[in-house]
Amino acid sequence: AQTVTQSQPEMSVQEAETVTLSCTYDTSESDYYLFWYKQPPSRQMILVIRQEAYKQQNATENRFSVNFQKAAKSFSLKISDSQLGDAAMYFCAYRSTPWNQGGKLIFGQGTELSVKP
Amino acid sequence: GAVVSQHPSWVICKSGTSVKIECRSLDFQATTMFWYRQFPKQSLMLMATSNEGSKATYEQGVEKDKFLINHASLTLSTLTVTSAHPEDSSFYICSAPKERFGDQEGYTFGSGTRLTVV
């Protein structure tokens, strides 16, 4: 069974600085998707970024980028120029492909990010 | 696009009563709906997967008779917490994959329901 581990329960960053959130996963599959979701105090889940395992290039979305190390099964999220609105719980998630695996997301424990002004 | 509307957003009920949570897909057909439970400061734990027109698949340790899931149409999935007790108090979230839009990597989440059993 696949597992996702986030070893940092809490992280803090100064506004405008850069922070990296860690995520490791365990799987025997070669093809899969990885995600980072943000859950602000409203608790609405928001997709931050996603990565297809077959793509070697790291995904980027504006200030958010990932460092995907497939061999090491590591998928960290870097937030540059941190903003107060980035404060939230961040979840790393794994999904098997193809869809006949159920398509369910497996979430890590979460990292609560606080941003100091 | 691909919006899931979840209601109610919060509910308080007396111990022993049942509560129904609805998730409606507003602009797409959701053949599959995932139901999660989340305790404060914790992760989302998958409870069950519902598929339109068939029985839900429950994760290990989830009581099927307590958490009744119905997915009778392509736009509505419901979770009923039967004979609720204080330990059922939690945040419940539904989620549907967006594969019907040609985007097979994404999911849309409901806004969640905070259930408090007193």
Side-chain angles (χ1 to χ4, degrees), chain B residues 61-75:
Chain B
V62 176
E63 298 178 60
K64 301 179 182 181
D65 295 334
K66 166 167 277 298
F67 300 102
L68 300 179
I69 291 174
N70 184 281
H71 197 151
S73 78
L74 289 171
T75 59

Side-chain angles (χ1 to χ4, degrees), chain B residues 31-32 49-58 69-73 77:
Chain B
T31 55
T32 299
T49 303
S50 72
N51 292 290
E52 185 268 337
S54 62
K55 290 184 178 180
T57 301
Y58 290 81
I69 291 174
N70 184 281
H71 197 151
S73 78
S77 178

Side-chain angles (χ1 to χ4, degrees), chain B residues 2 10 28-29 31 70 86 107 116:
Chain B
W10 60 271
F28 72 107
Q29 293 179 328
T31 55
N70 184 281
Y107 297 79
T116 302

Side-chain angles (χ1 to χ4, degrees), chain B residues 3 62 87 91:
Chain B
V3 175
V62 176
E87 57 265 31
F91 192 70

Side-chain angles (χ1 to χ4, degrees), chain A residues 45-107:
Chain A
M45 297 291 285
I46 301 167
L47 176 65
V48 175
I49 200 165
R50 67 182 181 215
Q51 174 83 42
E52 294 90 339
Y54 65 87
K55 290 186 177 180
Q56 294 185 341
Q57 186 174 7
N58 290 325
T60 62
E61 286 289 341
N62 301 314
R63 299 184 293 109
F64 300 88
S65 61
V66 297
N67 184 2
F68 174 47
Q69 300 291 327
K70 191 173 183 179
K73 297 179 183 176
S74 171
F75 183 61
S76 61
L77 174 69
K78 185 171 80 170
I79 305 174
S80 304
D81 185 25
S82 296
Q83 300 175 359
L84 295 177
D86 294 333
M89 182 74 85
Y90 286 82
F91 292 101
C92 178
Y94 172 102
R95 198 211 85 190
S96 299
T97 58
W99 285 101
N100 61 13
Q101 295 292 326
K104 61 185 180 184
L105 283 174
I106 300 170
F107 288 93

Side-chain angles (χ1 to χ4, degrees), chain A residues 33 35 37 39 42-45 47 50 52 89 91 95 99 102-110 112, chain B residues 34 36 38-44 46 49 59 91 93 97 99 103-107 109-111 114:
Chain A
Y33 287 95
F35 304 82
Y37 279 93
Q39 189 181 42
S42 68
R43 303 192 79 169
Q44 175 70 55
M45 297 291 285
L47 176 65
R50 67 182 181 215
E52 294 90 339
M89 182 74 85
F91 292 101
R95 198 211 85 190
W99 285 101
K104 61 185 180 184
L105 283 174
I106 300 170
F107 288 93
Q109 301 91 328
E112 186 166 15
Chain B
F34 300 104
Y36 294 90
Q38 185 182 30
F39 291 108
K41 302 290 186 180
Q42 294 189 24
S43 186
L44 281 72
L46 182 65
T49 303
E59 297 297 305
F91 192 70
I93 306 174
E99 74 274 22
D103 174 4
Q104 296 195 0
E105 303 88 4
Y107 297 79
F109 288 82
S111 54
R114 182 182 302 278

